[in-house]
Amino acid sequence: MHQRQKPSTPEHRSDPAADGGALSMSHNDSRSLLNLSQLVLSAGQIKPSPALKHSKITYFEVEILDVQSKKQICILDKVPPASTVLDVKHKFHKACPQWYPSRVGLQLERNGPFLKDSINIQSLAVSSIITLYFTDLGQQVGWTTFFLTEYAGPLLIYLLFYIRLSTIYDQVESRKNFRHPVVHLACFCHCLHYIRHLLETLFVHKFSEGHTPLKNMIKGCAFYWGFTSWIAYYINHPRYTPPSFGHRQVSYAALAFLMCEAGNHFINVALAHQTNSGNKTCFPSPTYNPFTWLFLLVSCPNYTYEAGSWISFTVMTQTLPVGIFAFLMVIQMSLWAQKKHKLYLKRFYPEVRRKAAMIPIIF
């Protein structure tokens, strides 16, 4: 009998060794993938390259419209979000060279206030397109030029009247009449006042980089120069009569004038020191200098001293033009003091709430 032999490798069955090897390789690959994942997780989040980090910067489009006609003047493309209103003005000047930055006034609304140069353009954005209204502010001058021109004129004009030019006064009458000492003292005080203003403009006051229209400088010069001519003409006239109470009136008034001039200077130095130090969290406090103690009573002592100077000068010279000029100066400075006092109340309410603006109890 023949024995049936079993097939050693049937075709329908797979090799166990081969199956085991496949399972072993699959298990090893899973373990390697798991180890690689744990390594990536332990290393932290993969940081993008610098090129990708800055590749998605949002730019703004600034549309400039004319404030009167609402017509579009230009569109400024690709304005970075960190740009300021001053940067927009420079870009606008490149697009429209006839309007330099200091002449450009930009408004968010037609009847709204002019935007300050330091405002960030991103704070104005509601969408990617920002609409601003343009106003031509006219020819502009810097604040330093404004004050130097305004104060240098009275200084020179008064000296021209003091030397009694032949084109102003009669030379025969000028030589005959004796000059009262108050005439020389008035010239000294008047020149001292404007020299102090000029020096403080150059070395004490810190003006912003803003500008003012040229027409404002013309108005200021017309006011100061015109009144100086009127005042100097009367005081230096050959027929000028001295004050009624003589030497005593002149001496006391001159002393008050010098004290007010000194107080004005020390107050301006204190205000400039506060601005330069950057400490704007509290109102300026009096120091060991007695001239700064006026801060205890008023919020704008510089205007108080300025008014005192012109009132003292009026008493010292006893002339009508000086009296009218002093009266107008007191009114103008009281308006400036009221405006500044309101700003102080918003910023320094606890320190300023019991103070007057310029004159204690009054105003």
Side-chain angles (χ1 to χ4, degrees), residues 267 271 282-287 292-301 304 337-338 340-342 344-345 348-363:
I267 292 297
L271 293 174
C282 60
F283 186 75
S285 57
T287 62
T292 62
W293 295 352
L294 200 56
F295 273 122
L296 297 172
L297 301 176
V298 296
S299 60
C300 303
T304 307
Q338 285 284 353
K340 187 172 290 187
H341 185 71
K342 292 180 180 179
Y344 284 155
L345 285 175
F348 315 113
Y349 175 73
E351 295 90 347
V352 186
R353 61 192 178 102
R354 294 185 178 180
K355 301 179 188 295
M358 190 180 80
I359 301 177
I361 302 175
I362 306 175
F363 298 128

Side-chain angles (χ1 to χ4, degrees), residues 152-258:
L155 179 63
L156 299 176
I157 290 173
Y158 197 96
L159 291 176
L160 291 177
F161 282 91
Y162 176 74
I163 61 177
R164 291 183 175 178
L165 295 176
S166 58
T167 55
I168 302 176
Y169 301 111
D170 181 61
Q171 287 296 310
V172 177
E173 191 174 15
S174 299
R175 292 172 184 174
K176 289 181 179 180
N177 292 347
F178 170 76
R179 290 197 189 190
H180 194 275
V182 71
V183 176
H184 305 290
L185 182 61
C187 180
F188 170 78
C189 292
H190 191 275
C191 293
L192 177 66
H193 178 79
Y194 284 102
I195 289 174
R196 178 184 62 80
H197 273 303
L198 291 172
L199 294 178
E200 288 177 352
T201 300
L202 293 174
F203 303 108
V204 177
H205 298 300
K206 301 298 179 182
F207 301 105
S208 62
E209 296 182 356
H211 298 75
T212 185
L214 179 63
K215 61 181 181 181
N216 289 346
M217 188 180 75
I218 295 176
K219 291 179 182 178
C221 290
F223 177 78
Y224 280 97
W225 294 15
F227 263 103
T228 300
S229 302
W230 192 22
I231 291 170
Y233 177 80
Y234 271 84
I235 296 177
N236 296 286
H237 198 279
R239 297 182 182 180
Y240 168 75
T241 55
S244 303
F245 296 96
H247 179 72
R248 180 177 298 181
Q249 177 180 345
V250 173
S251 300
Y252 288 156
L255 180 61
F257 177 88
L258 295 177

Side-chain angles (χ1 to χ4, degrees), residues 2-213:
H2 296 283
Q3 296 180 353
R4 180 180 294 180
Q5 295 180 355
K6 298 180 180 181
S8 58
T9 57
E11 294 179 359
H12 64 278
R13 292 180 62 184
S14 60
D15 188 4
D19 293 340
L23 292 173
S24 177
M25 289 178 63
S26 177
H27 181 69
N28 291 336
D29 291 343
S30 299
R31 181 175 296 177
S32 299
L33 182 61
L34 179 62
N35 293 337
L36 180 61
S37 300
Q38 292 178 350
L39 180 62
V40 171
L41 292 175
S42 63
Q45 186 178 0
I46 299 177
K47 297 181 180 180
S49 61
L52 295 177
K53 184 177 180 180
H54 298 285
S55 60
K56 296 182 179 180
I57 299 178
T58 303
Y59 291 97
F60 294 104
E61 288 186 359
V62 179
E63 181 185 23
I64 308 294
L65 305 180
D66 184 76
V67 71
Q68 299 294 336
S69 62
K70 295 184 181 180
K71 293 183 179 179
Q72 185 185 93
I73 299 177
C74 67
I75 295 180
L76 306 178
D77 296 326
K78 292 185 178 181
V79 179
S83 300
T84 61
V85 173
L86 182 60
D87 298 329
V88 173
K89 290 182 179 181
H90 283 286
K91 287 181 174 292
F92 181 67
H93 173 58
K94 291 181 180 179
C96 303
Q98 66 270 28
W99 292 305
Y100 50 90
S102 61
R103 189 167 181 165
V104 176
L106 297 178
Q107 302 163 268
L108 195 60
E109 300 176 354
R110 291 186 66 191
N111 297 325
F114 291 109
L115 299 174
K116 295 182 179 180
D117 291 344
S118 58
I119 294 179
N120 191 287
I121 199 67
Q122 191 173 11
S123 63
L124 307 174
V126 180
S127 63
S128 60
I129 300 178
I130 303 173
T131 301
L132 299 178
Y133 293 93
F134 160 74
T135 301
D136 184 9
L137 300 178
Q139 193 171 356
Q140 304 287 301
V141 293
W143 284 110
T144 303
T145 305
F146 176 88
F147 287 112
L148 289 178
T149 306
E150 192 175 68
Y151 295 143
L155 179 63
L156 299 176
I157 290 173
Y158 197 96
L159 291 176
L160 291 177
F161 282 91
Y162 176 74
I163 61 177
R164 291 183 175 178
L165 295 176
S166 58
T167 55
I168 302 176
Y169 301 111
D170 181 61
Q171 287 296 310
V172 177
E173 191 174 15
S174 299
R175 292 172 184 174
K176 289 181 179 180
N177 292 347
F178 170 76
R179 290 197 189 190
H180 194 275
V182 71
V183 176
H184 305 290
L185 182 61
C187 180
F188 170 78
C189 292
H190 191 275
C191 293
L192 177 66
H193 178 79
Y194 284 102
I195 289 174
R196 178 184 62 80
H197 273 303
L198 291 172
L199 294 178
E200 288 177 352
T201 300
L202 293 174
F203 303 108
V204 177
H205 298 300
K206 301 298 179 182
F207 301 105
S208 62
E209 296 182 356
H211 298 75
T212 185

